[in-house]
Amino acid sequence: MKKFAVVFMLFMACYSAQAVDPATVTAAAPKALELATIWSPHAASTLQSTGIGLMKIGESTVSILLLPAGILQCTLGAPFGMFDAGVDNFIKGICAPFELVYQVILLPVRIISLGTVR
């Protein structure tokens, strides 16, 4: 929560600052570079964690399609020995929407980077 408060305050400070003349930009540049060197590792880890979360959301979304594939394998593919794979895909397809909801709920935690969420 402390990180979120600091990032929110920095965002609000940057949003409200209207530096348009060159003297103000020149005066603010050293402080901006100092803040960038301090926050760059946090920004990189946040982007990495967010990217992992988005990939897991996409994976869960695609795995929903295993439900109809499993049904087809259980019914039409049973004479060809595909029943076991069909049951496995059917179970994965049933669990996929719940995993998708979990990953979507976990995404803000990944963005704020509260610890290492993998």
Side-chain angles (χ1 to χ4, degrees):
M1 191 67 184
K2 191 175 185 181
K3 282 184 189 179
F4 177 76
V6 171
V7 170
F8 182 73
M9 288 171 39
L10 281 172
F11 175 76
M12 292 308 293
C14 293
Y15 181 75
S16 63
Q18 299 293 328
V20 289
D21 60 279
T24 308
V25 172
T26 306
K31 189 65 174 173
L33 287 174
E34 180 183 337
L35 288 175
T37 57
I38 292 170
W39 283 99
S40 62
H42 301 292
S45 68
T46 299
L47 288 173
Q48 180 185 10
S49 183
T50 304
I52 289 170
L54 290 175
M55 286 191 295
K56 288 189 177 190
I57 287 174
E59 181 184 344
S60 299
T61 304
V62 171
S63 63
I64 291 174
L65 297 174
L66 289 175
L67 180 63
I71 292 172
L72 284 175
Q73 286 176 336
C74 284
T75 56
L76 300 177
F80 305 109
M82 299 174 72
F83 185 77
D84 293 336
V87 170
D88 187 42
N89 287 338
F90 182 74
I91 292 171
K92 287 180 184 175
I94 287 179
C95 294
F98 300 106
E99 182 183 350
L100 176 64
V101 169
Y102 171 72
Q103 293 297 337
V104 169
I105 290 172
L106 195 61
L107 187 64
V109 176
R110 291 180 193 277
I111 291 172
I112 297 173
S113 292
L114 296 174
T116 304
V117 181
R118 295 281 179 218

